[in-house]
Amino acid sequence: MQVTKTLDYAVRSLTYIGHEPIVKHSMKEISEHQHIPLNYLAKIMRRLVKKGIVRSMVGPYGGYTLRKAPGDISLRDIYEAIEGEIRIVDCMDGNGICQLHEACPQLPVWDRVQLSMVKILEETTLEQMLSDRGIRGFTRVN
Amino acid sequence: MQVTKTLDYAVRSLTYIGHEPIVKHSMKEISEHQHIPLNYLAKIMRRLVKKGIVRSMVGPYGGYTLRKAPGDISLRDIYEAIEGEIRIVDCMDGNGICQLHEACPQLPVWDRVQLSMVKILEETTLEQMLSDRGIRGFTRVN
DNA sequence: CTCTTTATGGATATCATGTATCCAGAATAT
DNA sequence: ATATTCTGGATACATGATATCCATAAAGAG
């Protein structure tokens, strides 16, 4: 139940690019400024490209730019590009049927949790994150 | 960002016990009815005991019963007994300071997600889960 | 007291997955 | 042509979730 480092990398890369949406930003540049391992970043960017979140240009002075307006990129988009479909419980077989042949008392709760999470992720756009001044590394745990 | 099997085991064990709160239920019994590896279940029960969620009795006819009323056991209690303090982002050093010396645009969102999640987990008690008829293994992913 | 049942505690193994690295190749600007 | 940068695949590494084993202690039954 944790945000993966990979997703964090992705969001950081996108906010970095989003600050200068016109300019092309190379992986090398992003990697250095955001302290993300270059080769690993490559994997991440690939997924963002495939999902149509960023555009890539090869060659000298190549790099990445956003493909959509920051207001049109939701955190949900980013999440799903990186992690795939959101599914906080994984208790079903291929047919979506619970292995236990009994009623499952937990599902309703997890469902609620997931729905509320998806809602927040969906409402939050890259634009919002960019304008959020962002409290300097501090968060309540509770 | 997934509910672990271990937490699932814990909840299933507790709902199982909760159905007959008076009776003592041995690990063997729980293990068999809920299809949970016996030795692994031992570890799980230990944590629930330590957190005061269940009471254990050793010896023949020993086993576990709830230590509190189902209405006084929240899913948050269970979650924290199993996984420890809830913290969906883990982006700080030991002093709670973000490694990056820049403002972090993501924290506010994850904070909101976590808060909403904690709220739901807190509001949901074992009693509720027990009375929830529980849709037979099926959930919307969205 | 002895025997059986059951939980406890620690050590360790297994496995999955997140994270990271390496490299050869294709695209493209100068 | 050459240097730059992304692409794609293969593979290694690290961590933590999951599982197994066993020796011990507690406690009820005879």
Side-chain angles (χ1 to χ4, degrees):
Chain A
M1 216 50 170
Q2 289 227 168
V3 176
T4 63
K5 220 166 178 176
T6 311
L7 178 55
D8 177 57
Y9 287 163
V11 177
R12 284 192 355 228
S13 300
L14 288 172
T15 49
Y16 180 79
I17 297 173
H19 270 120
E20 296 172 311
I22 314 294
V23 191
K24 278 172 279 184
H25 301 274
S26 72
M27 279 202 311
K28 189 150 166 283
E29 181 195 346
I30 301 172
S31 162
E32 281 166 3
H33 280 80
Q34 295 292 320
H35 311 96
I36 302 171
L38 181 62
N39 303 288
Y40 193 50
L41 180 57
K43 306 303 176 197
I44 295 172
M45 294 315 287
R46 207 76 269 288
R47 298 189 229 178
L48 298 178
V49 168
K50 281 187 180 159
K51 285 293 184 174
I53 295 175
V54 300
R55 180 200 321 276
S56 67
M57 286 93 137
V58 184
Y61 295 89
Y64 300 90
T65 65
L66 296 185
R67 186 156 201 141
K68 306 192 279 186
D72 291 334
I73 301 173
S74 74
L75 187 47
R76 179 184 188 172
D77 295 331
I78 306 171
Y79 187 114
E80 292 186 339
I82 298 301
E83 315 265 10
E85 186 191 34
I86 300 180
R87 178 180 300 194
I88 71 169
V89 273
D90 183 29
C91 60
M92 288 154 292
D93 65 16
N95 300 317
I97 304 293
C98 180
Q99 314 277 24
L100 293 180
H101 291 184
E102 305 168 22
C104 174
Q106 317 188 35
L107 279 184
V109 201
W110 298 127
D111 225 39
R112 266 180 276 142
V113 170
Q114 178 166 313
L115 284 171
S116 101
M117 171 173 148
V118 167
K119 184 157 182 288
I120 296 173
L121 297 190
E122 207 160 68
E123 287 169 356
T124 305
T125 67
L126 186 55
E127 185 174 38
Q128 262 182 267
M129 289 194 268
L130 286 170
S131 65
D132 254 342
R133 179 160 341 308
I135 318 307
R136 170 76 114 61
F138 177 81
T139 190
R140 282 160 298 138
V141 180
N142 193 323
Chain B
M1 214 49 170
Q2 289 228 166
V3 176
T4 64
K5 220 167 179 175
T6 310
L7 178 55
D8 178 57
Y9 287 163
V11 177
R12 288 199 344 236
S13 300
L14 287 171
T15 50
Y16 180 79
I17 297 173
H19 270 118
E20 295 171 313
I22 314 295
V23 190
K24 277 173 280 184
H25 302 275
S26 71
M27 280 202 310
K28 189 150 166 284
E29 181 194 346
I30 301 172
S31 162
E32 281 166 4
H33 281 80
Q34 294 293 321
H35 312 95
I36 301 170
L38 181 62
N39 303 288
Y40 193 49
L41 180 57
K43 306 302 176 196
I44 295 171
M45 294 315 287
R46 207 75 267 290
R47 299 189 227 177
L48 297 178
V49 169
K50 281 188 182 160
K51 284 293 184 174
I53 295 176
V54 300
R55 180 199 323 276
S56 68
M57 287 91 139
V58 184
Y61 296 89
Y64 300 90
T65 65
L66 296 185
R67 185 155 202 141
K68 305 193 279 186
D72 291 333
I73 301 173
S74 73
L75 186 47
R76 179 184 188 173
D77 295 332
I78 306 171
Y79 188 114
E80 292 186 339
I82 299 301
E83 315 266 11
E85 186 191 34
I86 299 180
R87 179 179 301 192
I88 72 170
V89 275
D90 183 29
C91 59
M92 288 154 292
D93 65 17
N95 299 318
I97 304 293
C98 179
Q99 315 278 21
L100 292 181
H101 292 185
E102 305 169 23
C104 174
Q106 318 188 36
L107 279 185
V109 200
W110 298 127
D111 225 40
R112 265 179 278 144
V113 170
Q114 178 167 312
L115 284 171
S116 101
M117 171 173 146
V118 167
K119 183 157 184 288
I120 296 173
L121 297 190
E122 208 159 68
E123 287 168 357
T124 305
T125 68
L126 185 57
E127 184 175 38
Q128 263 183 267
M129 291 194 269
L130 286 169
S131 65
D132 254 342
R133 179 158 343 307
I135 319 306
R136 172 74 115 60
F138 176 79
T139 190
R140 282 160 297 137
V141 180
N142 195 325

